[in-house]
Amino acid sequence: MQRLAIPEDVTGTEIDADVRQELLSLPKTLADDVARNLVMVARLLDSEPEEAYKYARVALRLASRVPSVREAAGFAAYMTQRYSEALTEFRAARRMTGRSDLWPVMADCERGLGRPERALAMAGEPEVKQLDKAGQVEMRLVAAGARADLGQFEAAVVTLQSPELASSAVHPWTARLRYAYAEALIAADRADESRDWFAKAAEADPEGTTNASERLAEIDGLEFVDTLDPELEDEGAEGEEGEEGEAPEAAERPEPRSRRGDRDREEGTDEVIFEDDEDVEEFYDEDDLEMEEADEAEVARAMRDREENR
């Protein structure tokens, strides 16, 4: 059997206690080998799913009768869109454990296989009542996706309407639920209602696990600028030098990178709101800060020196 390289710092002890308990049925050397491969699956699943899949297949060949191994293989296949294979592994894990926590992802595999009707049927099965709150929310997300797959966009909106959606409490699944609801509103030609829900999703998503903030900015007609982009820096340098390589007499103020508040847009004010002191320093001119002893030439020279010292 072909083995994959595993870093020396991976010992296998990193896995959860319940997984270690399942591996006790194996000889110690084999158990350690399987554990190390499972650690690699967990490390790579989000960033490099194809690599994670390879480690999962090794673990599966070593210990196919261990539920956690079948589950890990299922998620690796799921993340690489091998939905039929993932469904097989999830079903095997469920038969071994009798648990229902994999029910939502199994239903989503049915969607991936082009069978949204089966996903909807699973949403009405008794197993859903055995799920915890997070699992029930996940099942609701899958069911709404299945409705959308069938072109039933208003039904998708209704499916997501729930006490969990209306609650102001923030849970690990709150941002995804609000984001899905905003997307469902757009699909149902109710885009005017979606902005508030993208805003609520962004509020519940400080880690940026969704792109709610970007969607909100798109709706508001705002554009994020990457200040570390070298191409933008080159363009800025060319603009300062001018056609003859000389400094311009007066520097024009660039567009602010920070977002304006709703009040500013409604009142039509031209006030620029900066996010921090660095923004103020970068974009200041004589209209923004009072400079009693500096004329325009000194301001331009100070700005050039600052850029050169960065």
Side-chain angles (χ1 to χ4, degrees):
M1 178 188 302
Q2 181 180 2
R3 301 298 180 87
L4 300 174
I6 298 178
E8 293 183 359
D9 66 314
V10 175
T11 64
T13 59
E14 301 89 340
I15 60 176
D16 294 337
D18 56 343
V19 178
R20 288 200 300 272
Q21 185 67 30
E22 290 183 2
L23 294 179
L24 290 178
S25 61
L26 303 174
K28 186 179 187 308
T29 301
L30 178 58
D32 291 343
D33 199 359
V34 173
R36 296 181 73 208
N37 278 279
L38 292 179
V39 172
M40 293 303 298
V41 174
R43 280 191 177 187
L44 299 170
L45 193 59
D46 292 329
S47 59
E48 300 180 59
E50 282 292 342
E51 288 300 309
Y53 175 79
K54 295 176 183 178
Y55 284 99
R57 296 305 297 178
V58 172
L60 187 61
R61 290 195 296 270
L62 292 172
S64 62
R65 296 187 180 184
V66 176
S68 295
V69 172
R70 302 302 290 266
E71 184 175 331
F75 276 109
Y78 176 79
M79 291 294 288
T80 55
Q81 300 182 14
R82 295 175 170 93
Y83 297 116
S84 180
E85 184 178 328
L87 191 55
T88 297
E89 299 302 334
F90 289 142
R91 284 172 175 167
R94 184 169 178 272
R95 283 195 303 270
M96 293 175 178
T97 63
R99 303 195 323 262
S100 298
D101 54 311
L102 293 174
W103 198 252
V105 70
M106 290 169 62
D108 206 35
C109 286
E110 295 287 5
R111 285 186 60 211
L113 291 169
R115 302 190 295 240
E117 299 90 348
R118 292 193 184 183
L120 287 175
M122 292 179 68
E125 294 293 334
E127 285 81 357
V128 176
K129 295 181 180 180
Q130 301 174 20
L131 299 172
D132 60 12
K133 183 63 68 177
Q136 291 178 4
V137 170
E138 195 66 34
M139 192 71 244
R140 192 176 291 276
L141 289 168
V142 173
R147 291 290 185 189
D149 294 342
L150 294 169
Q152 301 171 2
F153 303 117
E154 279 293 344
V157 171
V158 174
T159 298
L160 293 171
Q161 292 172 345
S162 61
E164 293 80 18
L165 179 67
S167 174
S168 60
V170 175
H171 302 279
W173 38 262
T174 299
R176 292 179 57 237
L177 181 60
R178 294 175 179 178
Y179 184 91
Y181 189 63
E183 289 283 15
L185 288 170
I186 292 177
D189 294 328
R190 295 165 60 179
D192 55 326
E193 302 175 50
S194 68
R195 186 198 179 281
D196 287 343
W197 286 101
F198 278 126
K200 291 178 180 179
E203 180 182 358
D205 189 17
E207 302 298 326
T209 56
T210 70
N211 66 336
S213 296
E214 288 80 359
R215 295 301 303 276
L216 184 62
E218 290 175 5
I219 292 174
D220 291 342
L222 301 174
E223 181 179 355
F224 289 99
V225 177
D226 184 0
T227 57
L228 300 180
D229 189 337
E231 294 185 2
L232 293 178
E233 293 181 0
D234 292 342
E235 291 176 2
E238 292 176 1
E240 289 182 3
E241 291 179 359
E243 295 182 359
E244 301 298 330
E246 297 178 356
E249 293 183 359
E252 296 182 359
R253 186 191 323 190
E255 289 295 324
R257 291 174 294 168
S258 56
R259 294 184 294 172
R260 302 187 183 193
D262 292 336
R263 175 182 57 78
D264 295 327
R265 286 192 296 274
E266 293 172 359
E267 297 178 359
T269 178
D270 292 330
E271 179 185 0
V272 177
I273 302 175
F274 294 98
E275 294 179 343
D276 50 40
D277 293 340
E278 182 179 352
D279 287 339
V280 174
E281 293 176 2
E282 182 171 353
F283 293 117
Y284 73 82
D285 62 16
E286 290 185 353
D287 293 328
D288 294 323
L289 302 175
E290 295 182 2
M291 306 183 69
E292 298 177 355
E293 300 178 359
D295 57 18
E296 291 183 359
E298 291 174 334
V299 172
R301 188 181 308 111
M303 292 179 68
R304 287 199 304 274
D305 292 341
R306 181 175 177 271
E307 291 296 326
E308 292 174 355
N309 291 329
R310 281 186 175 181

